Amino acid sequence: MTFLLPALLLKILFIYSILIDGASCENESGTLVLVNVVYRHGDRTPVSPYPTDPYRNVSFWPVGWGQLTNRGKEQHFELGKWLRERYDHFLPEEYSRDDIYIRSTDVDRTLMSAESNLAGLYPPTGSQRWNPTLSWQPIPIHTTPEIDDMILAGKKLCPRYNKALEAVMNSVEMKELNRKNKQLYEYLSKHSGAEIHDLVSLEYLYDTLHVEDLYNLTLPEWTQSVFPEKMAGLAAYSFTFQAFTPLLQRLKSGPLLKELISNMEKAIYEGSGIGKKMYMYSAHDSTVANLLMTLGVFDAHSPPYTAMILMELWKNADEEYNVVISYRNSSADPSVLTLTGCRKVCPYEKFIALTKTRVPGNWEEECSVEVVYEFRLNSLSIIALALSGLLAVLLTSSILFSILYWRKKKSASYYYHHVHTEEQ
Amino acid sequence: MSADAGGGEWGYVGSREGGQPTYSWQEPAEKPRVAPAPEPANMPADADGNGGGGGVGYGSTPTPPVATSPSTMRCLRRRRCTVVTVGVLGALIALVLLAFLAFGKDADPDDNLLLVSVIFRHGDRTPSDIYPTDPHQEDAWPEGLGALTNEGKAQMFALGERLRRRYGRFVGAQYKPQTLRVDSSAADRCLMSAGALLAGLMPPEGEQRWHPDLAWQPIPVHYVARERDTKLAAKKPCPRYDEELQKAYASPEIQALNEENKDLYQYLTTHAGKPISDITAVEFLYNTLLIEKIHKLDLPEWTNSVFPDKMKQLAAKSLAIFTHNDFMKRIRGGPLLKEVVDHMSKKAEDTVKNEGRMHLFSAHDLTIVNVWRTLGFTELLHVGYGASLIFELRWIEQGVNAEVKVLYLNSSSAEPINLKIPGCSQPCVIGAFVNLIQHNLPTDTDWNKECGLPS
């Protein structure tokens, strides 16, 4: 045992070094097969100002509300370059539709973020240089109108989800939370002119103040006592709501998780080196937060601009597939996340088993079904239920038996006695 | 095709750069003749940017400086005081007028422009399918099949630059999401074409320059999935339409055409190694051969006697058969035309609320033919790469009455042709145009219903 420990440590270190050193996507212990990339757009203007906002005039934001700024373009251009560096030996320098698929929500800032990212990832080289003075090439970005998009935007109507979310928002815990923050809500409502009645509306206000602060605009006096400290934590916590319960996760983030898994499935089925190598999804802070929630690895926070989840599929020398999930929410190296019940390098089958309950079958059907069968979603509760059911049956039957036995014994003795009397 | 202009159409150029009211970002050297240059270099041509003499009078401004100066000279000999006064006054007037001509006219060609919609075909591409005996199989095309080539990117970039020269000042040097909207067919080559065109149309200027070495900025391109798309790919399934299409192929007119070309079909079937038995099969083969020719690949001997001449008209006919009758026009050309027309109507009603200035549609040859025929044009088109159907909405009388102008470019480098809209008098007033075309513009609900789909 004592000599096993250093060996184990060495092995962990070795695996870790592979993960850190992104450039070596191939070595004796494994080959990178596929990467799913999910990220948030870059720096943007506020989505909407609050009524008393001194910067509510759109002239402060020349690009308009909720639009990607130059900073945002740069950030994603840099992220694209970072991806190029990390996956340079994996993803060919020349763009090919056979290597990569890019999908974005149908919102200007995410479409533009994806474009900027690709400008950094795929500057034209060699024969792809089509314009002598322009180091850029067009690359298709796929999208679908938000009202049809359950996969990435998560905006397609799902009545069952809405109902379940409402239940969460009206739960005892949430009411308690709102009660605790009542004074803060009142203070914010009074000064901002907006109706702040829960953490979601608080987060909207926080985001606007946060963006204005980023742009070095002087915030009004009244904000000093509440921004950022008092609001930041609550805003961060609000990012857990959309995927608060297993059911919400399954209906909100499940379709995306299902697609990410199906991308990996395809790669495994087709064998490495044949299918696409990278799938890229350009979306929002809530998309990132919800997916992390769904994977059970979310530390409540507001995902910053360009926050990115990398879901890598590796194949080792024994032809076994592993999933490694990492999260990059700063310019530092991404940190590897560990799924509860798995290791950092999580065997594919194990990963599938662990996330199974979060992957919807027929999403449309599940959205319309009103019957609540949440219990089916949690195997532990099924076991618990079955076990306690069994125990209950055992208990009742044992009681029944003992009563019967007692009675029989009693009547038997009486009978015996009776016979005995008859003989008398 | 009623063409009443060409030469002068693309001549107008202008710039906001540096605040100078000059005509600085001029035509490229290879097209020097387009500006119908008036004598004074800084005086814009009257009919410029105005449909080649469509009749809206820019030419009516008199040129008094020339007229007044001789009379002032005569006065000078008679009464000195008066003459000096008149002279000074005259000079002032002349100055003001000159200034007006030089500076005031600056915005004129765009002044009456309200909205521009451009439906364009993608740029140069690789073949979509290859016939069995083709000496150039898939490996001859490193980009893959049906993909936009470098040539295609350059064509679209150039088309973007041309649109910038013509509409740049109208749309504004800076990209604004509320003024410019871009929709595309779901096909990669269309999405990429839209991107390349935008690189030429909207290079970042001033504050929008976000990267020191990159004269490009991201601009969103929207699309809907092919199976839902009634407008650009126009591939949303429509059972009733499919029936009509089969009927169209079986119509006496097309049957006669098949009979006429029986020997050709037989010849093509033998040599191409696949059955060629109708005009659409001819079109597909024609496209492949044409693309190979454009890319300077050697065509096999057998093609010499049939390509392009004998196949060309049949190919054009095949594009037209998809809008063979009114119902088919309504289903395949109507939805896109409706979007264009609705925008124009709304814009003419309320220019404040509707901030849109330019709407771009990145699509296919068939899309252009569909809309073309739905508009009532009957000529067969050979739609080149970057071919564009342009709709301009212009004031006839500011704030009162607007007209619709339709222009067509047969390829990214062709001269635009000013078209006379069939059945509409000139100027074609928006209200009249809507009335004329309304019966061909279904709503989404209508569309589903007429297709036999649940609405």
Side-chain angles (χ1 to χ4, degrees):
Chain A
M1 188 63 204
T2 36
F3 63 84
L4 259 174
L5 200 67
L8 197 73
L9 268 171
L10 235 132
K11 200 175 170 186
I12 289 170
L13 265 171
F14 185 54
I15 291 170
Y16 196 64
S17 67
I18 298 163
L19 299 172
I20 291 294
D21 183 12
S24 55
C25 295
E26 213 171 319
N27 57 45
E28 62 265 41
S29 106
T31 318
L32 186 57
V33 179
L34 175 128
V35 189
N36 283 311
V37 182
V38 181
Y39 55 65
R40 186 191 179 200
H41 57 77
D43 183 272
R44 60 152 163 76
T45 56
V47 172
S48 63
Y50 54 92
T52 65
D53 196 334
Y55 311 107
R56 65 183 173 278
N57 193 316
V58 79
S59 61
F60 284 103
W61 315 99
V63 293
W65 302 114
Q67 290 288 334
L68 194 70
T69 63
N70 279 357
R71 252 186 238 179
K73 293 167 199 171
E74 278 160 31
Q75 287 169 345
H76 261 291
F77 185 75
E78 287 305 318
L79 187 65
K81 288 210 288 196
W82 185 89
L83 286 168
R84 167 52 59 206
E85 206 172 297
R86 181 176 170 96
Y87 296 113
D88 204 25
H89 296 286
F90 172 63
L91 196 67
E93 265 190 1
E94 293 209 347
Y95 164 75
S96 161
R97 59 182 174 187
D98 299 328
D99 291 337
I100 186 168
Y101 174 88
I102 308 104
R103 177 169 174 154
S104 168
T105 61
D106 193 13
V107 177
D108 286 358
R109 59 179 176 275
T110 48
L111 287 163
M112 290 161 82
S113 291
E115 286 184 54
S116 308
N117 192 300
L118 292 168
L121 180 61
Y122 281 118
T125 55
S127 68
Q128 290 197 323
R129 187 93 192 192
W130 62 281
N131 182 321
T133 57
L134 191 63
S135 185
W136 171 83
Q137 61 179 325
I139 293 171
I141 293 162
H142 299 273
T143 184
T144 203
E146 281 194 293
I147 54 159
D148 296 328
D149 188 0
M150 80 268 214
I151 292 178
L152 199 55
K155 290 265 173 92
K156 190 168 182 170
L157 181 71
C158 180
R160 182 141 169 251
Y161 174 84
N162 291 351
K163 217 175 149 183
L165 182 64
E166 208 184 300
V168 168
M169 298 311 277
N170 291 326
S171 64
V172 182
E173 297 93 319
M174 209 60 79
K175 278 187 176 144
E176 175 62 18
L177 194 68
N178 287 335
R179 198 188 56 75
K180 267 193 205 156
N181 292 293
K182 205 168 158 242
Q183 260 187 327
L184 178 63
Y185 293 170
E186 276 165 6
Y187 180 82
L188 294 173
S189 302
K190 192 178 111 197
H191 287 95
S192 71
E195 202 206 322
I196 309 293
H197 53 88
D198 60 8
L199 291 195
V200 176
S201 46
L202 180 137
E203 195 274 326
Y204 286 160
L205 179 61
Y206 174 79
D207 181 77
T208 301
L209 294 174
H210 174 65
V211 173
E212 290 171 352
D213 191 43
L214 276 181
Y215 275 80
N216 290 328
L217 296 172
T218 315
L219 298 184
E221 279 277 319
W222 63 264
T223 60
Q224 283 175 9
S225 60
V226 287
F227 179 86
E229 289 78 14
K230 274 196 185 166
M231 293 175 80
L234 295 169
Y237 188 56
S238 81
F239 277 99
T240 63
F241 294 171
Q242 287 190 10
F244 204 71
T245 67
L247 179 68
L248 291 177
Q249 288 163 11
R250 185 178 165 109
L251 295 177
K252 191 71 166 183
S253 237
L256 176 58
L257 181 59
K258 191 176 178 175
E259 176 149 319
L260 302 181
I261 288 172
S262 116
N263 295 341
M264 295 194 285
E265 198 94 332
K266 226 183 293 167
I268 293 170
Y269 180 75
E270 283 171 349
S272 50
I274 295 168
K276 289 191 173 41
K277 292 170 184 290
M278 185 179 275
Y279 290 83
M280 184 181 272
Y281 298 86
S282 179
H284 307 270
D285 47 6
S286 55
T287 323
V288 169
N290 293 343
L291 184 59
L292 291 176
M293 274 296 279
T294 304
L295 293 169
V297 288
F298 187 58
D299 276 333
H301 71 289
S302 310
Y305 298 131
T306 71
M308 172 173 69
I309 301 169
L310 296 170
M311 190 184 280
E312 297 172 339
L313 181 69
W314 290 76
K315 186 163 98 173
N316 66 17
D318 302 328
E319 301 277 300
E320 291 161 342
Y321 288 92
N322 291 300
V323 180
V324 180
I325 296 169
S326 31
Y327 183 51
R328 184 181 190 264
N329 64 348
S330 70
S331 52
D333 277 319
S335 39
V336 180
L337 304 174
T338 316
L339 260 61
T340 314
C342 210
R343 302 187 302 269
K344 276 186 161 52
V345 179
C346 185
Y348 182 75
E349 295 309 325
K350 181 89 183 165
F351 174 81
I352 296 302
L354 283 170
T355 54
K356 202 173 155 208
T357 56
R358 305 299 193 268
V359 178
N362 185 334
W363 183 84
E364 308 262 352
E365 254 170 41
E366 289 186 24
C367 278
S368 60
V369 173
E370 289 296 317
V371 188
V372 182
Y373 58 94
E374 266 108 313
F375 281 124
R376 258 180 61 181
L377 303 178
N378 191 335
S379 52
L380 199 70
S381 37
I382 299 176
I383 295 168
L385 253 179
L387 210 70
S388 47
L390 195 75
L391 280 171
V393 169
L394 275 174
L395 194 72
T396 13
S397 47
S398 60
I399 292 170
L400 265 168
F401 269 118
S402 50
I403 291 172
L404 273 174
Y405 180 74
W406 178 72
R407 277 199 156 185
K408 203 175 171 185
K409 207 177 167 187
K410 213 179 164 190
S411 65
S413 61
Y414 178 75
Y415 179 70
Y416 175 74
H417 181 70
H418 177 73
V419 170
H420 188 251
T421 23
E422 229 182 15
E423 268 184 11
Q424 274 181 341
Chain B
M1 187 182 303
S2 53
D4 70 340
E9 277 300 300
W10 295 80
Y12 169 68
V13 288
S15 170
R16 277 255 153 90
E17 266 182 15
Q20 281 290 0
T22 54
Y23 290 77
S24 54
W25 26 287
Q26 295 292 353
E27 282 294 304
E30 69 266 23
K31 276 193 213 84
R33 107 214 91 77
V34 276
E39 304 81 8
N42 62 346
M43 226 182 275
D46 289 333
D48 213 356
N50 185 27
V56 183
Y58 285 114
S60 53
T61 322
T63 47
V66 186
T68 41
S69 31
S71 60
T72 346
M73 294 306 285
R74 243 176 282 128
C75 289
L76 191 70
R77 282 180 213 117
R78 293 188 188 158
R79 276 205 209 142
R80 239 182 136 182
C81 272
T82 328
V83 163
V84 169
T85 323
V86 170
V88 169
L89 271 173
L92 269 172
I93 293 170
L95 257 173
V96 168
L97 280 170
L98 253 169
F100 176 73
L101 280 174
F103 298 93
K105 280 292 262 188
D106 183 38
D108 267 356
D110 295 338
D111 244 13
N112 64 355
L113 193 53
L114 277 163
L115 183 70
V116 182
S117 306
V118 185
I119 304 168
F120 58 90
R121 187 191 179 198
H122 58 76
D124 182 81
R125 66 163 165 92
T126 61
S128 294
D129 56 0
I130 286 165
Y131 59 94
T133 64
D134 199 329
H136 314 290
Q137 289 294 315
E138 211 176 319
D139 51 15
W141 307 99
E143 300 97 331
L145 295 186
L148 191 70
T149 62
N150 278 355
E151 181 72 33
K153 293 168 199 168
Q155 286 167 347
M156 299 318 292
F157 185 82
L159 180 61
E161 287 184 319
R162 293 184 74 194
L163 290 172
R164 177 182 169 85
R165 279 197 295 277
R166 184 173 167 86
Y167 301 113
R169 197 166 41 165
F170 168 67
V171 182
Q174 302 235 322
Y175 161 71
K176 278 188 191 157
Q178 59 272 36
T179 52
L180 174 66
R181 160 97 190 179
V182 190
D183 284 289
S184 172
S185 152
D188 280 4
R189 59 176 176 276
C190 292
L191 290 164
M192 292 162 86
S193 289
L197 184 144
L198 288 167
L201 176 69
M202 280 282 162
E205 295 260 338
E207 278 179 11
Q208 291 200 323
R209 184 90 190 199
W210 62 280
H211 188 284
D213 311 320
L214 193 59
W216 168 84
Q217 63 177 325
I219 292 173
V221 177
H222 304 269
Y223 83 82
V224 298
R226 216 172 130 87
E227 66 275 10
R228 291 165 180 268
D229 183 0
T230 56
K231 291 169 187 160
L232 293 164
K235 290 293 178 199
K236 181 170 171 178
C238 174
R240 255 211 70 203
Y241 174 86
D242 293 342
E243 286 167 26
E244 286 293 317
L245 184 61
Q246 288 318 308
K247 276 191 220 158
Y249 279 118
S251 67
E253 183 201 340
I254 301 297
Q255 286 301 322
L257 201 63
N258 288 343
E259 190 56 36
E260 216 175 280
N261 291 286
K262 220 167 78 182
D263 293 344
L264 176 67
Y265 292 177
Q266 189 50 55
Y267 181 82
L268 294 176
T269 304
T270 311
H271 287 96
K274 70 171 182 180
I276 306 286
S277 56
D278 64 26
I279 51 175
T280 302
V282 174
E283 184 213 330
F284 282 21
L285 183 58
Y286 174 81
N287 288 342
T288 302
L289 294 173
L290 182 65
I291 289 166
E292 291 173 345
K293 196 185 151 206
I294 289 171
H295 287 263
K296 301 195 169 58
L297 296 175
D298 290 328
L299 298 186
E301 277 282 316
W302 63 264
T303 61
N304 291 343
S305 61
V306 288
F307 177 86
D309 301 337
K310 284 191 179 167
M311 298 171 77
K312 193 173 177 182
Q313 277 310 93
L314 291 174
K317 191 80 196 159
S318 163
L319 285 173
I321 201 171
F322 294 93
T323 40
H324 191 68
N325 58 36
D326 272 357
F327 171 78
M328 293 168 80
K329 287 175 186 168
R330 207 172 134 80
I331 295 303
R332 287 302 187 224
L336 177 54
L337 193 54
K338 183 176 164 55
E339 177 146 345
V340 171
V341 170
D342 283 354
H343 274 208
M344 290 197 287
S345 307
K346 277 187 201 149
K347 182 80 185 182
E349 272 166 30
D350 187 347
T351 52
V352 179
K353 214 168 107 190
N354 300 291
E355 291 180 79
R357 287 186 170 224
M358 184 178 260
H359 198 158
L360 301 175
F361 299 94
S362 183
H364 308 267
D365 49 1
L366 185 58
T367 320
I368 290 191
V369 172
N370 285 347
V371 174
W372 171 264
R373 289 176 54 82
T374 306
L375 277 167
F377 295 108
T378 52
E379 259 114 324
L380 292 181
L381 288 183
H382 304 283
V383 186
Y385 296 125
S388 307
L389 206 46
I390 303 176
F391 295 78
E392 292 181 352
L393 182 70
R394 291 178 176 276
W395 288 124
I396 302 172
E397 204 181 330
Q398 187 84 31
V400 182
N401 223 350
E403 68 166 322
V404 179
K405 280 177 167 287
V406 182
L407 299 105
Y408 180 64
L409 278 84
N410 202 23
S411 75
S412 59
S413 57
E415 285 308 322
I417 300 161
N418 210 330
L419 303 166
K420 189 189 170 302
I421 302 165
C424 203
S425 55
Q426 279 190 303
C428 183
V429 179
I430 175 77
F433 178 65
V434 172
N435 286 339
L436 181 78
I437 209 86
Q438 193 70 52
H439 69 283
N440 270 338
L441 312 179
T443 63
D444 286 352
T445 326
D446 288 345
W447 196 95
N448 284 334
K449 205 156 80 189
E450 286 166 36
C451 283
L453 299 169
S455 51

